[in-house]
């Protein structure tokens, strides 16, 4: 995975931009990392032009406002224009999650690792960042096996079967990455 990340100058620039902002425990991952890995390993290659958003997960328990997400997103846009940034403070998820996705209240998350552990698919529950020595750090509480092996599987910790089916329909993994195995949500 590190070799794939380093082989994409665009992805490395994204990681450098996030590091340069010195955000509170900030990482890049979810769909953009899946798109890179699966595009190169199971599809027709990775194209930054096809990236829908670059998820930046950060953890700032001192400012849970929506404005914090917006400010961080704007900082990243100013630093590296043309990238579809989407920064979300994982310390604030419990505030907006029920209103956006339904269901009851959710417990506040305690860390980036706790947050990533709730993400919709096991293959997208992975984030990376560059440390100060340019080493790629990986946070993958569910492992990187499904990401590297091209397995689309629901993470049952927070995602309902209905929401998982809707995501499967929207993302069309079998079409986008013909070599990917889809395990239907159950």
């Amino acid at each position: 995975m590190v070799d794939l990340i380093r082989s994409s100058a665009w992805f490395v620039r994204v990681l450098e931009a996030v590091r340069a902002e010195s955000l509170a425990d900030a990482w890049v991952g979810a769909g953009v990392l899946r798109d890179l890995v699966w595009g190169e390993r199971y599809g027709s290659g990775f194209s930054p032009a096809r990236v829908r958003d670059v998820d930046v997960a950060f953890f700032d328990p001192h400012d849970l406002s929506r404005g914090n997400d917006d400010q961080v997103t704007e900082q990243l846009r100013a630093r590296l224009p043309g990238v579809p940034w989407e920064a979300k403070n994982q310390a604030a998820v419990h505030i907006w999650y029920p209103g956006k996705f339904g269901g009851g209240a959710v417990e506040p998350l305690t860390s980036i690792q706790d947050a990533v552990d709730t993400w919709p698919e096991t293959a997208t529950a992975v984030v990376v960042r560059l440390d100060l020595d340019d080493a790629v750090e990986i946070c993958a509480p569910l492992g990187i096996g499904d990401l590297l092996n091209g397995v689309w599987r629901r993470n049952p910790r927070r995602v309902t079967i209905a929401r998982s089916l809707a995501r499967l329909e929207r993302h069309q993994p079998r079409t986008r990455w013909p070599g990917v195995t889809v395990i239907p949500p159950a």
Side-chain angles (χ1 to χ4, degrees), residues 1 27 33 112-113 116-117 122 125-128 137-145 147:
M1 185 168 73
W27 300 75
L33 186 57
I112 285 293
Q113 183 169 343
V116 173
D117 190 49
T122 55
V126 179
V127 290
V128 297
E137 293 182 77
I138 300 169
C139 175
L142 302 174
I144 61 171
L147 176 59

Side-chain angles (χ1 to χ4, degrees), residues 66-79:
R66 170 63 191 209
N68 192 15
D69 291 350
D70 295 342
Q71 178 183 341
V72 169
T73 299
E74 287 307 314
Q75 286 173 223
L76 290 164
R77 282 187 186 137
R79 181 168 295 279

Side-chain angles (χ1 to χ4, degrees), residues 8-119:
S8 171
W10 179 88
F11 203 94
V12 171
R13 280 194 307 277
V14 162
L15 293 177
E16 290 170 342
V18 171
R19 181 183 59 192
E21 286 300 318
S22 300
L23 304 168
D25 203 11
W27 300 75
V28 174
V32 69
L33 186 57
R34 176 209 53 218
D35 290 358
L36 171 66
V37 173
W38 287 5
E40 291 297 323
R41 294 187 78 174
Y42 303 102
S44 59
F46 174 69
S47 171
R50 291 192 306 249
V51 171
R52 294 178 185 165
D53 57 32
V54 174
D55 290 304
V56 176
F58 66 102
F59 200 85
D60 180 2
H62 304 294
D63 184 351
L64 304 181
S65 71
R66 170 63 191 209
N68 192 15
D69 291 350
D70 295 342
Q71 178 183 341
V72 169
T73 299
E74 287 307 314
Q75 286 173 223
L76 290 164
R77 282 187 186 137
R79 181 168 295 279
L80 191 57
V83 172
W85 298 105
E86 188 171 318
K88 294 286 184 211
N89 183 2
Q90 300 301 293
V93 168
H94 65 284
I95 295 170
W96 55 261
Y97 189 92
K100 184 170 182 175
F101 296 111
V106 297
E107 291 293 318
L109 299 166
T110 60
S111 66
I112 285 293
Q113 183 169 343
D114 187 30
V116 173
D117 190 49
T118 69
W119 289 2

